[in-house]
Amino acid sequence: MATTEKIRTLGPGSFKIKTGSGSGSTDKDLSADLIKAQLVPSNSTDDPTTFLDGSELTSTTTNWTFEGTVMDDFTAGGLAEWLFDHAGETLDAVFIPANNATSEWDFKATITPIGIGGDVKAKNTQDLSFPVTNLSHKTRTVS
């Protein structure tokens, strides 16, 4: 039986957010800004509902976020400005954890701004967190 070698290292990969639609669609590529990138689940379970016959119904929900850490970019049109300008918009996003892997994660991300600044004379980082909906994965072709 043949075994497939597992891919356990994050990156190099990509994270892109689509703006616009149709022929006017462009990608905002955050790949070169991210030093940490992950899809994070948050699971919650409601208290069970007990029925007269003794059976119970329990509801579990999972909410997702895309979380990451980016280096500051103070250039005009840099990431902090782009996120500020698009805050509150829900846009299509694609996360490919490793270019040599066949896994691609597609979702809608609600854009939130990040912090600006930090320690003087330092290369500061900012954490970002985008609420995620319509999360799905698909197999992609690796060339």
Side-chain angles (χ1 to χ4, degrees):
M1 173 181 3
T3 60
T4 303
E5 185 176 332
K6 294 184 181 194
I7 299 169
R8 299 190 184 269
T9 303
L10 179 65
S14 65
F15 177 66
K16 297 178 182 178
I17 300 172
K18 293 193 177 297
T19 59
S21 60
S23 62
S25 177
T26 59
D27 289 343
K28 177 64 175 175
D29 191 344
L30 280 67
S31 307
D33 294 296
L34 287 160
I35 59 173
K36 179 179 179 182
Q38 61 184 358
L39 281 163
V40 179
S42 174
N43 301 308
S44 64
T45 303
D46 295 336
D47 291 334
T49 301
T50 305
F51 296 93
L52 181 61
D53 67 358
S55 62
E56 291 186 344
L57 174 66
T58 303
S59 176
T60 301
T61 57
T62 301
N63 293 308
W64 289 87
T65 54
F66 178 85
E67 297 180 4
T69 302
V70 296
M71 297 288 294
D72 273 335
D73 176 5
F74 300 120
T75 57
L79 183 58
E81 288 184 11
W82 190 90
L83 294 172
F84 179 85
D85 291 344
H86 292 277
E89 294 179 29
T90 300
L91 302 171
D92 291 329
V94 178
F95 177 41
I96 298 173
N99 291 336
N100 60 339
T102 59
S103 179
E104 173 180 313
W105 296 86
D106 300 304
F107 51 92
K108 293 195 175 292
T110 301
I111 307 305
T112 58
I114 57 172
I116 302 163
D119 294 331
V120 175
K121 290 199 175 213
K123 292 182 179 177
N124 294 296
T125 61
Q126 306 295 333
D127 291 329
L128 58 78
S129 180
F130 303 146
V132 166
T133 57
N134 299 344
L135 178 64
S136 66
H137 65 88
K138 65 182 179 185
T139 300
R140 63 188 196 90
T141 303
V142 176
S143 41

